[in-house]
């Protein structure tokens, strides 16, 4: 069967805008006192919904998305683990900027460039 054409969306109750203030992207860099294995040893399927929170950027101004024009559109947190056992790079971005697939592509390209490879198309 065919899906009916979508009905027009009602206009949002507020103006959609982004304040271009040249303040950059908030980046938090921390060093963990644990190895990567220690920091992730408690992860299991029961805790996955909240287990990543300690590695994620701070959410108060971005989540939930209230369409504030002054909220950053992207935030990054980098965690390095004890004894060079690993690094965690987390991103948080406003959904109007990208969806999950775009976020994964961004992270994949960033990783490729960091490793001296050209990003795949």
């Amino acid at each position: 069967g065919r899906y009916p054409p979508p009905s027009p969306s009602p206009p949002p109750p507020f103006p959609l805008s982004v304040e271009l203030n040249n303040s950059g992207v908030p980046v938090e860099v921390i060093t963990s006192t644990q190895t990567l294995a220690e920091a992730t040893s408690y992860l299991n399927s029961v805790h996955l919904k909240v287990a990543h929170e300690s590695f994620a950027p701070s959410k108060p101004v971005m989540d939930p998305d209230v369409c504030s024009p002054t909220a950053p559109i992207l935030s990054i947190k980098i965690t390095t683990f004890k004894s060079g056992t690993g690094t965690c790079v987390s991103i948080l971005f406003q959904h109007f900027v990208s969806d999950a697939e775009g976020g994964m592509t961004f992270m994949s390209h960033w990783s490729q460039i960091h490793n001296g490879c050209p990003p795949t198309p």
Side-chain angles (χ1 to χ4, degrees):
R2 292 186 167 272
Y3 292 104
S7 58
S9 298
F14 43 80
L16 295 177
S17 65
V18 174
E19 184 178 296
L20 301 175
N21 56 16
N22 202 27
S23 63
V25 173
V27 177
E28 180 182 5
V29 180
I30 66 167
T31 302
S32 176
T33 58
Q34 298 178 306
T35 65
L36 177 61
E38 292 167 342
T40 58
S41 64
Y42 65 92
L43 297 180
N44 63 44
S45 60
V46 176
H47 296 101
L48 284 179
K49 288 202 173 250
V50 295
H52 72 283
E53 294 292 331
S54 63
F55 305 115
S58 178
K59 294 184 176 183
V61 296
M62 294 179 70
D63 187 28
D65 183 359
V66 294
C67 294
S68 167
T70 58
I73 59 173
L74 171 69
S75 183
I76 300 171
K77 183 174 183 180
I78 301 170
T79 305
T80 58
F81 295 97
K82 181 175 147 184
S83 304
T85 57
T87 301
C88 174
V89 178
S90 302
I91 62 171
L92 181 64
F93 54 89
Q94 299 291 351
H95 193 263
F96 70 84
V97 173
S98 181
D99 59 9
E101 182 179 356
M104 293 303 296
T105 300
F106 173 78
M107 292 296 288
S108 177
H109 286 184
W110 188 2
S111 176
Q112 291 166 349
I113 292 168
H114 175 74
N115 287 307
C117 302
T120 56

